[in-house]
Amino acid sequence: MSAGTIFDINEFAIYDGPGIRQTVFLKGCPLRCSWCHNPEGQNPSPELMINKASCISCGHCKKVCNNESCIACGKCVSYCPLNLRKICGELLTAKELAEYIRDKSDYYANYGGGVTFTGGEPLMQPQFLAETLSLLPDIHTAIETSGYADNKIFNSIIQLIDYVIMDIKLVDSSLHLKYTGAENKIILENLASLCSSNKKFVVRIPVIPGVNDNKTEYSAVAELVKDAPLLERVELLPYHKTAGAKYEMINRKYTPMFDVNRPVFIDQEVFSQYGIRSVVL
Amino acid sequence: MRKRIKDLRKFFVYDKAHHSCRQKPCDPMLLASEFQRNNTSDTDRAVVRLKYTLDNEKPVVFRNEKIALMRTIPNPPELFTEEEMEAIKTSHRIHERGEVCNINVDYSMLLDMGFNAKRREISESIKKFQGCNDAASVHYLEQLISILDSVETLAKRYRIEAEKVGNMVVAENFAHIPENPPATFLQALQMLRLLHFTMWCGNNYHNTLGRFDQYMYKYLKNDMDKGLLDYDDALELVEEFFLSLNRDSDLYPGMQQGDNGQSLVLGGLNEDGSDSYNVLSEICLKASLELKLIDPKINLRVSKNTPIERYILGSQLTKQGLGFPQYSNDDVVIDGLIRLGYDKKDAYNYVVAACWEFIIPGRGMDIPNIDALSFVKAVQDATFEKLGHSRNFEEFLSFVKENIRKQADEICENTKNLYIFPSPFISLMMEGCVENAKDISIGNRYNNYGIHGTGISTAVDSLASIKKYVFETGEISAETIIKALKNNFNDYEQIRNKLRYEAPKFGNDDDYVDSIAVSLLDSFAESLHNRKNERNGIFRPGTGSAMYYIWHSKKTPATPDGRDSGEEFAANYSPSMFARLKGPISIIKSFTKPDLKKVINGGPLTLELHDTVFRTPEAVSKVAMLVKSFIDLGGHQLQLNSVNRDTLLDAQKNPEKYRNLIVRVWGWSGYFVELSKEYQDHIIKRAELSI
């Protein structure tokens, strides 16, 4: 039985697939997108997360800590009177996760939904994910992925899934490298195989001001997916300034490489010219 | 929205331009001292006070309005001098202000009849009582006629004023009503406004508009069938009527601005299982959606067969952030009311009172918020007195239940010697009052008392902590926990944090805790079962808290769920404010486990939804599914808020930017910037729990 690390499970997810869903956040991501709003999803290991904004500096946490730098042991967590500390990341087996999901799966099924795996990048824990999926054959499953994974892994997991939400950040490869820390060749290959697969899917574009909010990028995405028969729509997620909120909590600085104050340019016209439905979330 | 309505909304609500027509406040004791000198009977006082107010009202008609009437007298005078009031209070229990309040009159008893016919009916009754030499009854009935005269005179003065300013629509309407029953939908709205206005002039507050879409429907249908009105015309008139409810609302008595009970109920099952939702119900929802005003507050009656489209329309309204509609589940409420002894016909006709309580129009003189039991006190007393000697959790729980019974004994005893001021005008719209010459304040077909229950989640969580740590794991001894509570957790911080953040909580779909809630609510129901009040009514247990939860929580020391001394409980039927919960679905699953038919006085589960869950029409339809799931699972009453904590914080700092920001407070909605800071802070704290 394989084990994996997750950092959250949300109830009542409404933007991540059909119906009302629960979403499971798998920890660890190979990309380092400049606009990432879940930075605690990047590091594959558990880490300490602190809500510093509400801290009253009572010092109780410091008294119990003997380590020079944090080893995510969690000893300080129960000493905070405001419960501002937690260990982000929990190791559990595929069986345990499947049981957790199954506990309320009837509810979600009644309202047209199921479970969505997101992250982080869920494909970074392929064995854990595959095993969990194999235990949920009767439940509607979806994945939200960056597509940055070995082709074989991508294709085999997709086969186990009912619905795919695939992010396309940038089609321009050098810009992709610049803003996400990785090349997009493998992503575009996976997108191509998704387009010709038998899975319903949506393409999701995080719309980042001055990065990909231009006609060239929109058209490039539309060009890539225009012939996919099972593409439901393109979803545009305009950048929101709250993306930076969680960096401080994991003791990191938010250093976006773009102007966060610039308004985003949204153009749905490009997609309708290609006969593709689009929606702004 | 039509331009005329936009203009009226700006005039009455945003600019409050009509306030300049108001008269100076009168001396509250203007009439009372004379009443005392003359030893005037209480009924006569109520009649004189109402007639005084009506006779001194100054008609104000605006040119572009079709539905007239505004209050110019800010405060109707008092019935009793302070000295008299003291004396009454020493020998009687007085509920709230002593006035008839929080009931639902049957407006159709005047509306469908007209005053001329009502006068004939009263005269018949007078003859009957003259025949048996019952002078008191004759006098009472003559007083009722004199009230009708005063209302008619006011209507006549309004007609003259309307003619003077050239508003022939208003003039023509007042030429016909209230003597005659309304000939059109517009006249029906004007007459309803007149009746409701008169109730306020008599200081009767918190009286809901009830099933507006039912008793007004025939007037609308008639006009539509005749081709006098189309859908949009009707929408315009309903919008104007809704606006009229916002004209005088700052004058109404209440806990805070907005707490005025101007609610209405839409839809609902008929006895034959059919659905009463009609075109007027839909028009009301649309009107509210367009106007975005705090009044009227809308309750939507739903059941397992309600189509999803109606929940979607309701969720669009929730999206506006008004804090309504509030949903009530006919499948649970009707059965619950029948179990309490309400006739089937009446149970099917239920409405929601000013806030949450389920009451019966035209026949109910229930007092649905007469007192409240503190679940937390029951647990707290048992902890201090019995925890050390309890052998196991079951035994300890039995002491808690015993305390619930003892509190119930006390509460019921305290309701005795109730006195309510006479309310002759309201009596004209309640069953049997004219026929029997009996004022509504004495009672009616239903005279039941509703008892709220505060702090259910704090009590349940406290018991769960005790069960787990004292009786099961043994991690915390009875002695330690008692010391920790008495010290308000000073020197016991680790224990506090464990109890507060690690212990099992109600709202996580965990049977370990939820079964305790089932047990406490059952015990509450049993403790009131088969008791009679002095008006020959029963006691109804409920899941509401009204403002009792604030009073109870302030005097409650630290509790075994890790709550600090004085920290407030959650309002109504909701999870603890600091419980870390998995999400709304777990909350719904937990809170629908108790048999809510047994505790059906009223009191909603409240969910705070972050405003980002309403971003797209598809997302709104998923919120609608969430609401439907609560109903499908057997929930009784649900109220949702769309909130954004950042917006609220900004509004607190910059009130001038947010004068129209509306939030739900308890059973009612109000303008956020007009609330006192204490309530603003409470709402912000609640918003932090949003999902």
Side-chain angles (χ1 to χ4, degrees):
Chain A
M1 173 68 58
S2 61
T5 307
I6 64 165
F7 66 98
D8 211 354
I9 298 181
N10 270 357
E11 292 189 346
F12 192 54
I14 54 175
Y15 296 108
D16 302 309
I20 303 181
R21 313 185 70 82
Q22 46 187 334
T23 40
V24 180
F25 293 78
L26 281 78
K27 202 158 163 18
C29 184
L31 303 183
R32 291 293 177 268
C33 303
S34 181
W35 49 83
C36 180
H37 65 283
N38 277 339
E40 77 277 27
Q42 293 178 1
N43 178 350
S45 309
E47 59 197 310
L48 180 68
M49 209 169 165
I50 310 166
N51 175 1
K52 290 182 183 162
S54 308
C55 177
I56 50 168
S57 303
C58 68
H60 291 179
C61 51
K62 292 213 174 92
K63 277 188 218 151
V64 295
C65 185
N66 301 319
N67 302 306
E68 271 183 31
S69 62
C70 182
I71 56 162
C73 68
K75 204 171 163 194
C76 58
V77 169
S78 68
Y79 282 82
C80 177
L82 298 175
N83 199 29
L84 302 177
R85 295 169 165 255
K86 68 168 183 184
I87 294 296
C88 171
E90 186 190 345
L91 194 71
L92 74 181
T93 64
K95 188 161 172 269
E96 286 167 333
L97 178 57
E99 272 169 16
Y100 187 97
I101 292 166
R102 199 167 275 291
D103 183 46
K104 286 195 196 31
S105 58
D106 286 352
Y107 176 97
Y108 290 99
N110 277 340
Y111 302 98
V115 60
T116 300
F117 296 91
T118 178
E121 171 49 64
L123 295 179
M124 237 182 121
Q125 303 183 54
Q127 238 188 312
F128 172 57
L129 182 57
E131 207 168 316
T132 307
L133 287 167
S134 71
L135 295 169
L136 305 169
D138 50 332
I139 291 172
H140 187 275
T141 55
I143 188 169
E144 193 200 355
T145 175
S146 67
Y148 193 84
D150 179 87
N151 301 136
K152 267 193 202 146
I153 290 175
F154 183 86
N155 289 325
S156 65
I157 295 285
I158 295 310
Q159 281 320 304
L160 300 170
I161 291 265
D162 297 311
Y163 189 86
V164 179
I165 301 159
M166 180 147 168
D167 279 18
I168 297 296
K169 281 112 180 165
L170 278 155
V171 179
D172 182 303
S173 60
S174 58
L175 289 176
H176 196 277
L177 179 62
K178 177 181 170 193
Y179 284 106
T180 72
E183 288 190 5
N184 64 359
K185 182 168 167 282
I186 196 167
I187 295 175
L188 299 181
E189 284 169 11
N190 284 332
L191 178 65
S193 46
L194 180 62
C195 286
S196 55
S197 76
N198 59 350
K199 296 294 164 182
K200 278 191 186 169
F201 73 103
V202 299
V203 162
R204 187 172 273 185
I205 306 175
V207 184
I208 313 301
V211 176
N212 63 354
D213 59 338
N214 56 65
K215 272 200 190 319
T216 317
E217 273 295 326
Y218 289 138
S219 310
V221 175
E223 192 62 42
L224 289 173
V225 298
K226 64 176 188 210
D227 296 324
L230 294 179
L231 172 73
E232 294 213 317
R233 65 185 185 193
V234 168
E235 297 177 348
L236 303 174
L237 264 82
Y239 177 79
H240 195 274
K241 270 198 256 178
T242 52
K246 292 199 255 178
Y247 285 80
E248 203 196 357
M249 296 183 184
I250 50 167
N251 214 14
R252 279 174 54 184
K253 270 220 161 66
Y254 182 49
T255 52
M257 298 154 65
F258 54 93
D259 180 5
V260 296
N261 293 314
R262 187 172 143 171
V264 291
F265 168 72
I266 295 285
D267 186 359
Q268 292 179 265
E269 189 56 30
V270 175
F271 296 102
S272 35
Q273 278 166 9
Y274 280 89
I276 299 170
R277 271 186 66 212
S278 68
V279 61
V280 181
L281 294 186
Chain B
M1 194 192 311
R2 289 183 177 167
K3 183 173 178 303
R4 193 177 69 86
I5 299 297
K6 269 190 194 159
D7 292 346
L8 288 174
R9 181 175 63 175
K10 181 171 186 303
F11 183 84
F12 288 113
V13 183
Y14 299 158
D15 298 345
K16 300 178 173 47
H18 62 301
H19 285 197
S20 63
C21 305
R22 284 184 184 165
Q23 307 180 41
K24 285 203 186 94
C26 69
D27 169 14
M29 294 301 155
L30 182 78
L31 303 174
S33 350
E34 205 180 316
F35 289 153
Q36 185 178 16
R37 252 198 320 279
N38 299 337
N39 203 14
T40 312
S41 77
D42 293 359
T43 305
D44 286 352
R45 292 181 191 215
V47 174
V48 172
R49 191 252 308 267
L50 177 57
K51 285 162 66 74
Y52 170 87
T53 310
L54 294 171
D55 294 347
N56 285 282
E57 262 304 338
K58 189 182 82 184
V60 182
V61 178
F62 301 96
R63 294 194 118 188
N64 57 345
E65 68 183 1
K66 290 183 182 169
I67 301 172
L69 279 180
M70 64 164 275
R71 288 258 300 269
T72 65
I73 299 177
N75 57 329
E78 296 295 325
L79 295 181
F80 302 99
T81 62
E82 278 172 30
E83 183 191 344
E84 286 176 313
M85 216 37 230
E86 285 304 307
I88 293 173
K89 281 185 179 168
T90 53
S91 52
H92 289 98
R93 177 174 176 131
I94 295 294
H95 180 64
E96 294 185 4
R97 293 161 187 266
E99 306 279 2
V100 170
C101 64
N102 217 5
I103 63 169
N104 181 209
V105 303
D106 181 355
Y107 295 96
S108 64
M109 288 173 75
L110 284 175
L111 199 60
D112 292 357
M113 218 176 180
F115 284 13
N116 287 341
K118 182 57 80 176
R119 209 181 265 107
R120 283 196 296 274
E121 185 192 308
I122 300 171
S123 303
E124 285 302 310
S125 193
I126 289 177
K127 274 184 209 150
K128 192 179 81 188
F129 286 105
Q130 278 168 338
C132 49
N133 287 326
D134 182 347
S137 294
V138 170
H139 175 69
Y140 179 75
L141 293 168
E142 283 169 350
Q143 290 284 48
L144 292 184
I145 289 182
S146 79
I147 290 174
L148 294 180
D149 295 344
S150 269
V151 178
E152 279 179 6
T153 308
L154 176 67
K156 193 181 286 172
R157 289 193 290 124
Y158 256 91
R159 176 174 58 77
I160 293 164
E161 178 65 19
E163 282 165 358
K164 209 168 97 191
V165 304
N167 186 333
M168 295 321 287
V169 176
V170 169
E172 277 167 29
N173 288 341
F174 279 119
H176 187 79
I177 56 148
E179 288 88 340
N180 309 292
T184 62
F185 183 55
L186 174 59
Q187 286 184 0
L189 290 168
Q190 179 67 76
M191 182 144 165
L192 178 61
R193 169 75 184 142
L194 178 64
L195 299 176
H196 200 235
F197 173 94
T198 304
M199 284 159 68
W200 285 112
C201 288
N203 248 3
N204 295 113
Y205 63 97
H206 277 178
N207 294 302
T208 161
L209 286 154
R211 305 187 74 185
F212 178 86
D213 64 339
Q214 305 303 311
Y215 62 81
M216 294 296 280
Y217 177 64
K218 60 173 175 285
Y219 296 103
L220 175 66
K221 186 172 184 300
N222 194 32
D223 279 13
M224 284 178 125
D225 288 350
K226 282 191 195 153
L228 297 174
L229 286 180
D230 66 17
Y231 186 94
D232 290 332
D233 299 332
L235 178 64
E236 179 187 345
L237 293 181
V238 169
E239 286 182 342
E240 183 166 359
F241 179 74
F242 283 8
L243 268 172
S244 75
L245 301 173
N246 291 274
R247 289 183 178 191
D248 311 322
S249 46
D250 61 311
L251 302 177
Y252 301 157
M255 290 299 293
Q256 291 271 304
Q257 214 272 76
D259 171 29
N260 57 42
Q262 293 188 122
S263 61
L264 52 83
V265 181
L266 303 176
L269 286 176
N270 296 316
E271 246 183 296
D272 62 4
S274 61
D275 188 348
S276 72
Y277 186 88
N278 58 37
V279 63
L280 181 54
S281 330
E282 187 185 282
I283 286 175
C284 288
L285 286 174
K286 294 216 162 147
S288 192
L289 195 58
E290 291 192 346
L291 288 169
K292 301 180 184 60
L293 296 175
I294 57 176
D295 285 307
K297 287 105 183 152
I298 289 182
N299 289 278
L300 201 51
R301 278 179 52 172
V302 290
S303 65
K304 59 180 180 295
N305 295 325
T306 300
I308 190 76
E309 289 72 26
R310 209 170 301 160
Y311 291 106
I312 292 175
L313 201 49
S315 301
Q316 286 167 354
L317 201 48
T318 301
K319 181 187 177 182
Q320 305 298 328
L322 300 166
F324 56 76
Q326 176 168 258
Y327 298 88
S328 56
N329 185 355
D330 283 6
D331 298 329
V332 174
V333 177
I334 292 170
D335 261 8
L337 291 173
I338 291 172
R339 279 196 206 173
L340 284 172
Y342 290 86
D343 287 350
K344 193 175 170 200
K345 180 168 176 264
D346 294 330
Y348 273 84
N349 197 29
Y350 82 88
V351 299
V352 181
C355 293
W356 317 280
E357 302 94 338
F358 304 114
I359 55 170
I360 310 302
R363 293 177 164 186
M365 187 51 213
D366 292 346
I367 302 172
N369 59 343
I370 198 160
D371 210 337
L373 176 136
S374 168
F375 286 112
V376 184
K377 188 175 185 320
V379 175
Q380 172 206 329
D381 291 349
T383 306
F384 290 149
E385 290 158 20
K386 304 284 188 183
L387 186 57
H389 330 292
S390 298
R391 281 163 300 178
N392 52 45
F393 179 70
E394 286 63 38
E395 192 183 23
F396 178 68
L397 188 60
S398 70
F399 291 125
V400 175
K401 291 181 179 173
E402 203 176 296
N403 287 345
I404 289 177
R405 178 165 289 275
K406 279 187 210 155
Q407 268 193 61
D409 288 343
E410 258 175 62
I411 286 171
C412 294
E413 183 61 29
N414 278 339
T415 59
K416 290 189 176 157
N417 297 317
L418 183 77
Y419 181 62
I420 303 174
F421 308 158
S423 185
F425 179 67
I426 295 244
S427 305
L428 285 161
M429 294 177 279
M430 296 298 286
E431 182 189 58
C433 292
V434 167
E435 197 187 334
N436 304 316
K438 199 176 145 194
D439 194 86
I440 183 60
S441 60
I442 300 163
N444 209 263
R445 179 185 294 234
Y446 300 110
N447 303 291
N448 303 325
Y449 295 167
I451 312 291
H452 292 308
T454 67
I456 180 73
S457 48
T458 305
V460 169
D461 293 351
S462 295
L463 286 167
S465 285
I466 289 172
K467 183 180 179 187
K468 182 170 175 182
Y469 299 119
V470 178
F471 291 108
E472 285 179 10
T473 69
E475 285 169 79
I476 309 171
S477 71
E479 200 186 2
T480 309
I481 211 166
I482 291 167
K483 269 192 199 156
L485 298 179
K486 287 192 169 162
N487 280 339
N488 191 22
F489 297 118
N490 285 321
D491 301 326
Y492 294 89
E493 284 80 8
Q494 274 292 88
I495 286 182
R496 169 192 176 274
N497 297 349
K498 187 186 199 65
L499 296 170
R500 196 173 167 97
Y501 303 121
E502 289 174 32
K505 302 286 173 189
F506 185 30
N508 258 334
D509 189 22
D510 176 358
D511 285 343
Y512 186 89
V513 198
D514 302 345
S515 60
I516 298 174
V518 173
S519 176
L520 283 190
L521 288 173
D522 280 354
S523 156
F524 183 26
E526 278 158 28
S527 75
L528 293 174
H529 190 61
N530 273 340
R531 291 181 194 250
K532 285 266 184 230
N533 66 34
E534 64 180 5
R535 295 185 158 213
N536 213 22
I538 54 154
F539 291 91
R540 319 190 317 178
T543 48
S545 65
M547 51 291 200
Y548 292 102
Y549 78 103
I550 291 195
W551 302 330
H552 287 171
S553 58
K554 277 186 178 158
K555 55 186 182 191
T556 303
T559 41
D561 63 334
R563 175 188 146 280
D564 297 327
S565 175
E567 192 174 353
E568 65 207 9
F569 309 150
N572 292 319
Y573 187 53
S574 302
S576 152
M577 305 277 282
F578 52 77
R580 299 290 192 268
L581 302 175
K582 292 180 201 161
I585 289 161
S586 288
I587 294 174
I588 284 176
K589 292 192 84 176
S590 283
F591 279 73
T592 50
K593 283 179 196 173
D595 183 354
L596 296 164
K597 288 179 184 174
K598 290 184 184 167
V599 280
I600 206 63
N601 187 58
L605 168 65
T606 302
L607 289 179
E608 322 285 341
L609 298 180
H610 196 268
D611 59 5
T612 52
V613 305
F614 298 94
R615 271 197 301 241
T616 63
E618 192 185 329
V620 171
S621 73
K622 292 182 185 182
V623 172
M625 284 190 221
L626 183 75
V627 176
K628 179 169 164 45
S629 77
F630 176 77
I631 303 302
D632 290 345
L633 289 169
H636 57 342
Q637 196 171 30
L638 179 68
Q639 191 255 312
L640 300 102
N641 300 319
S642 159
V643 291
N644 184 326
R645 181 176 172 270
D646 296 335
T647 311
L648 297 175
L649 284 172
D650 197 41
Q652 203 172 34
K653 269 185 226 147
N654 307 297
E656 68 288 350
K657 273 165 54 189
Y658 294 94
R659 58 187 186 140
N660 297 316
L661 175 67
I662 293 168
V663 290
R664 185 80 170 192
V665 187
W666 299 305
W668 41 276
S669 302
Y671 290 104
F672 181 77
V673 299
E674 290 176 10
L675 300 173
S676 68
K677 182 153 186 307
E678 185 185 1
Y679 298 114
Q680 287 186 352
D681 288 343
H682 184 80
I683 285 160
I684 290 170
K685 208 163 155 188
R686 246 176 28 192
E688 288 168 5
L689 307 173
S690 71
I691 297 140

